[in-house]
Amino acid sequence: MGPSVQQLLIILLIIIVLFGAKKIPDLAKGLGSGIKNFKKAIKDDEENTDIHTTEAKPDKIQNDSNTKETTASTNNNETTKV
């Protein structure tokens, strides 16, 4: 089960004693900006991955059609040799 209200208050008091009342808002601000930067980095990484994925697909399709043409021309050459 989750912690009770008394346990949460005790933990809060310990944090205030350890860090001081003035330091807690600075810690929260730093934590918030860190999370914001982390989410932004993940979003940018996903966008870059999407861009690279969409760029790679047309090349693959083009390479597949070139392979089919090469195979067809090879088959035609073998037919004429016989």
Side-chain angles (χ1 to χ4, degrees):
M1 289 212 253
S4 70
V5 176
Q6 287 179 334
Q7 291 172 337
L8 291 174
L9 288 174
I10 292 171
I11 291 171
L12 183 62
L13 283 172
I14 292 172
I15 291 172
I16 290 173
V17 168
L18 288 175
F19 295 108
K22 292 182 181 180
K23 198 74 166 165
I24 292 175
D26 293 336
L27 291 171
K29 187 185 292 184
L31 183 63
S33 65
I35 291 171
K36 182 179 177 182
N37 289 336
F38 181 74
K39 287 182 180 181
K40 182 182 176 193
I42 289 175
K43 183 180 176 184
D44 290 344
D45 188 43
E46 287 176 353
E47 288 176 0
N48 288 339
T49 303
D50 290 342
I51 290 171
H52 292 300
T53 304
T54 54
E55 288 176 355
K57 286 182 181 179
D59 293 342
K60 177 129 176 73
I61 292 169
Q62 184 179 11
N63 289 338
D64 288 344
S65 63
N66 289 341
T67 305
K68 290 177 185 175
E69 290 173 5
T70 306
T71 306
S73 65
T74 306
N75 289 340
N76 288 338
N77 290 341
E78 290 175 2
T79 307
T80 51
K81 288 181 184 177
V82 176

